[in-house]
Amino acid sequence: MSSLPKSVAPAASGAHQRFVPVDHTKVAFPGGFWESWTRTAREVTVPSQYRRLEEEGFLEVLDFGKPPAPLVRPIQPSGLSMQHFFDSDFGKWIEAASYTLKTHPDPDLEAKIDGIVEKLEQGQMADGYLNSWFIRREPEKRWTNLRDLHEMYSMGHLLEGAVAYFEATGKRRFLDVMIRAVDHIIDTFGPEPDKLAGYDAHEEIELALVKLWRVTGDPRHLKLATWFVDERGQMPSYYDGEARRRGEDPATYIYQTYAYSQAHEPVREQREVVGHAVRAMYLFSAMADLSHENDDPALKAACDRLFDNLTGRQLYVTGGLGPSASNEGFTRAFDLPNETAYAETCAAVALGFWTHRMAQTDLDRRFTDRLETVLYNGALSGIARDGEHYFYENVLESHGQHRRWKWHYCPCCPTNIARMLTSLGQYFYSAKKDELAVHLYGENTAELDIGGRFVRLRQETRYPWDGDVALALTLENPATFTFTLRIPGWCREASVSVNGETVDLGAACVKGYASITREWRNGDEIRLSFAMPAERLYAHPAAGEDAGRVALRRGPVVYCVEEADIGIEPQRLRLSSEAALEPRFDATLLGGAVVLEAEGLEADAQGWTGDLYRTTAPELRPRPFRAIPYHLWANRETGAMQVWLLEA
Amino acid sequence: MSSLPKSVAPAASGAHQRFVPVDHTKVAFPGGFWESWTRTAREVTVPSQYRRLEEEGFLEVLDFGKPPAPLVRPIQPSGLSMQHFFDSDFGKWIEAASYTLKTHPDPDLEAKIDGIVEKLEQGQMADGYLNSWFIRREPEKRWTNLRDLHEMYSMGHLLEGAVAYFEATGKRRFLDVMIRAVDHIIDTFGPEPDKLAGYDAHEEIELALVKLWRVTGDPRHLKLATWFVDERGQMPSYYDGEARRRGEDPATYIYQTYAYSQAHEPVREQREVVGHAVRAMYLFSAMADLSHENDDPALKAACDRLFDNLTGRQLYVTGGLGPSASNEGFTRAFDLPNETAYAETCAAVALGFWTHRMAQTDLDRRFTDRLETVLYNGALSGIARDGEHYFYENVLESHGQHRRWKWHYCPCCPTNIARMLTSLGQYFYSAKKDELAVHLYGENTAELDIGGRFVRLRQETRYPWDGDVALALTLENPATFTFTLRIPGWCREASVSVNGETVDLGAACVKGYASITREWRNGDEIRLSFAMPAERLYAHPAAGEDAGRVALRRGPVVYCVEEADIGIEPQRLRLSSEAALEPRFDATLLGGAVVLEAEGLEADAQGWTGDLYRTTAPELRPRPFRAIPYHLWANRETGAMQVWLLEA
């Protein structure tokens, strides 16, 4: 079941020396940091999300034979109801569930997916069109409002689900349904005069089409993705004409600017990351894919510029992104409010998708450093330790008003973090002809195919709690290839040895990856040691919200202080620049974690009588405190939290 | 024209030894700080606001004979259109305009008001009902939704306008129209079983009825105000029943809690200032009035508790209040975000109304200190130096995204600050039988009647730029009465002398007011000297947003740093606790103002490469800067601004 059926052409990937991520099913997490996160995702998150989809009426939209039920989500001022894109939610759920099936077969789960697929197939229109909202409620309006109504966004997620399910089970039914839907899109959209020159304002179909192309090898799939990306932002805007055809004045567009959808100018000309954050990340993911598949350095250059803009000016220290709720996205350079941070879980997950793709064509740790940042911080914070409560917004400061929820008005995030965790292994390793890249560290075992050389690898490590990593190799016959190991950007003192012999990292490193080429033998061991002191981070002075403040980081893990640990609001705390930060492993904390202990100072409110303001500064008195990993916050009693601590 | 016509009973005020504010027409500002502000309000603000009302179609709502024009403001999710309460806007404009008429007669202006009054009279329904929205658009819906639709709020503002116009001109027509409207309200609402036991969710009618009662002496007017205030928050809620009568489920109320309208519990039981800030201040103003008129110490105690809660936990240093845009109001104790401060101009103006009323019955500087704070800061910031641009939200920090506007989607603030400035004199002095209270300082001349003793007073001072004030008395015959002078709460070194003889303030002061009883003679002079150093203010440690920061204040004036003065975002600046703050009068700055000059430190962004975060703190290098009065910000080129400066 794991190989492609012959009727579908093999993926064309790798032709241009792209790294190919390892199949996630080849990486297991039998212990260590990710063991409980991935197990919980599989055992709790996936089944509980199906229950939510049932309970909340999401699956009802597939009862094509019945008259539609009353709306459970009202129409927004934009004309969009969250219900317009319920298909995307079970599309993403199928994807997440599928990722678990090969390693953990579950006939009941498979039957649930088959049930959804059967309904989708029954509902699909004769011409291939597939969108439950429009088929059941407003068939006459299909393809009349790409700007607001997410038709292709929903289809894209169904398509990703279909590809994942096919790869997990070999069953073609869902894939065929979606190929027919894509055929319909190809019939409808394109540069030809008899077609619509439009593209969905919520990107997603583009990257899904690349996934499809890698399965089908059908050049029409790649061509459509490419055309959608290049058509985006061409003027006059498709959305203007489309609005006029609906009898609307384009000037009344509620989001005012097509920058909201990265459609304000051609993507190759874009230099600033703007608009809705998830849309941007999905677009850039497709651009990264296409820059490789089409051997298109200009598109790669656009990605690089956008990446630099994001990381240099618009990215939270946690890897969160998109500070503003009003556009679910970006505002201006250095605008990084902490308590009102939107920083949607989906956006951090999708930044992981983008950076992962970038690293496959350009092995540079600046990409995988960010991937690691979201995995250990701003994406992981989106799911509770229990695997069934979530954050949509990942604030960096709270006064206790933020609580994880069981399900959301717009539940896009739960399935997004689920599909990341259920396919986590793919982010750890990539291979090409004679080279294996190790991007991430964390206890795991992997079965790797490096240009036909089969290697079993075992990472033994307490990472991210400890910086020592041992990579033990098992291979039947000696084989010569290159091991390329990421030296994390956060690390300023790294050493690598092979069978006890130190590697000269200065000579071995390119773009933060150390390459070791040799004949590898069974039992060889690579040891990495990353010095992992607790550190203070300072934000760029233009990020005014963080001025005079420090964030604490150790290794890839960003810390926060939670009221639950210290009994007062952390906003009361200050940390002197001299105070020692003492890491200590606390086995009792939510599955075990390294906490940072320090002697802080507490601003004393005693003597503050009546008025809010006075002319003498509050007294500061010693207050020991501890900081916990940011991704663990809001898993105990509700209270205040802060990432950026005031320096005393 | 200045005395009441005989057909209307004289005001009943003063019966319980309440201070009565001086008629604003008796105070002139021939020079000094307030000269240009009050002149501009009269010469620019009032006429330009009428033009706006015309241009923007507000006055069209009074064309009762014509079919209504298409909506210029859409219906909000709450069911309310801003257009529902356009009456309130020209009601407030009439009030502001009326305040100018006696001292600066203007037949053209009077004719404009008469034109509006004529239309209102024509449109008024036979039963006295008067509200342009409901009469023209939805007569069948009148009095069906007190929770959302502002009917009595609008009538209240018309009523205040009518009282002001009557007092300015002696013309009864508008007053009579509104008395008929009030008769209709009395017929419709009340405790009697055949009446509706409802009250408007947007308070305003209550304080307007007290104003009316003080003109008419009709006990029904006072009784209705009292009943509205006491009925408020009684359970089961009137709004629940009203919603059910409309066929709505009360649980779908968009603001979720009647605390939004201070209607969650009886007002006497309220201990926390909650909900919509302007509503709260209008309610509390009425409560302050009624506590006096009804000799009701329990109501006064409720006001005191609410005042303490506001000032101890929820008030910006500028006098701004109501931090949140989502409810235009309060959130939780110590939640005082700076850049997202809502701090509506109307709310600061109305805090002035409330504190002014409180001081008349309880001469305590804690009230007039706040009145002074809003006058010099959080209310005055709502109007531009040119008198025709405005802020609705008065943030304490900006990155340059905030600009003053010519007119607003919901233009409640311009007419509110206008009516405050065109009646400014009333806030300076109050009198009762044998006592004159001086609440505020600033160059002016006043003609005062202290229990039949006529005194001309001249304040000579550069206040607030200087703390020296000379009060020169002119009176025909010697007279014995008490001069009661506020010693501002911000002042820690005050001296007062009479004809050169020092007053023992320790003995003379009660609640921050120094009383001097003697026989006053023509030519007597009181000199006050308030030490006015530039000071740093520190916020209560629980106000986390201000932790580690200082605000600068000198006398009653709060300062800010604006990019226009320093060429960099003030968010880059830090101020050491030792740095001297040097006041200097800059005659060229927007009409002249004392600025504060200091040596600051600038966080240097040089050497910050690529990444937003690094492990070394930014270098700090000296950077001289100056701070300007907060009320003057955003009158030059657009840029960043900050009130709370980071301490180095």
Side-chain angles (χ1 to χ4, degrees), chain B residues 207-265:
Chain B
L207 72 86
L209 284 167
V210 177
K211 278 193 178 180
L212 181 65
W213 136 257
R214 287 177 178 162
V215 169
T216 63
D218 183 338
R220 297 180 311 142
H221 297 158
L222 183 64
K223 190 177 150 202
L224 181 61
T226 305
W227 182 78
F228 276 146
V229 165
D230 279 328
E231 189 62 21
R232 188 165 214 91
Q234 301 295 340
M235 294 294 149
S237 170
Y238 178 80
Y239 300 136
D240 282 359
E242 185 198 49
R244 287 194 202 95
R245 288 194 292 278
R246 291 194 304 273
E248 289 170 20
D249 178 358
T252 63
Y253 178 45
I254 196 162
Y255 291 105
Q256 295 175 2
T257 160
Y258 298 138
Y260 175 63
S261 303
Q262 300 78 44
H264 55 304
E265 57 186 3

Side-chain angles (χ1 to χ4, degrees), chain B residues 337-409:
Chain B
N338 291 311
E339 191 173 357
T340 60
Y342 199 68
E344 185 181 337
T345 301
C346 283
V349 167
L351 173 58
F353 296 161
W354 180 31
T355 52
H356 183 225
R357 283 163 167 81
M358 293 294 282
Q360 307 314 313
T361 53
D362 180 3
L363 192 68
D364 188 329
R365 76 172 173 204
R366 67 193 175 124
F367 302 120
T368 34
D369 279 348
R370 305 307 175 185
L371 170 60
E372 184 177 59
T373 298
V374 299
L375 278 175
Y376 284 108
N377 304 286
L380 198 58
S381 58
I383 187 165
R385 209 68 188 82
D386 68 10
E388 52 182 339
H389 288 84
Y390 308 92
F391 273 139
Y392 193 111
E393 297 165 49
N394 293 276
V395 299
L396 283 80
E397 177 173 4
S398 178
H399 284 85
Q401 74 271 45
H402 301 94
R403 287 157 207 225
R404 295 178 182 277
W405 35 264
K406 196 172 160 185
W407 201 239
H408 195 269
Y409 189 78

Side-chain angles (χ1 to χ4, degrees), chain B residues 539-554:
Chain B
H540 189 290
E545 180 100 5
D546 302 330
R549 296 176 178 272
V550 292
L552 307 183
R553 185 185 65 187
R554 181 170 175 272

Side-chain angles (χ1 to χ4, degrees), chain A residues 18-30:
Chain A
R18 167 181 171 265
F19 276 97
V20 178
V22 62
D23 184 316
H24 72 275
T25 63
K26 302 297 184 187
V27 183
F29 299 96

Side-chain angles (χ1 to χ4, degrees), chain A residues 311-312 315-317 332 339 399 492 536-540 547-548 574 605 608 610 612-617 644 646, chain B residues 311-312 315-317 332 339 399 492 536-540 547-548 574 605 608 610 612-617 644 646:
Chain A
T311 55
L315 190 64
Y316 283 101
V317 69
R332 59 178 189 275
E339 191 171 357
H399 284 85
R492 284 178 294 166
R536 289 166 170 81
L537 289 182
Y538 298 85
H540 189 289
R574 306 190 192 187
W608 220 279
L612 259 166
Y613 308 101
R614 71 180 195 193
T615 54
T616 51
W644 286 97
L646 196 58
Chain B
T311 56
L315 190 65
Y316 283 102
V317 69
R332 61 177 189 276
E339 191 173 357
H399 284 85
R492 283 178 295 168
R536 289 167 169 78
L537 291 181
Y538 298 84
H540 189 290
R574 306 190 191 187
W608 219 279
L612 259 166
Y613 308 101
R614 70 180 196 193
T615 54
T616 51
W644 286 97
L646 195 58

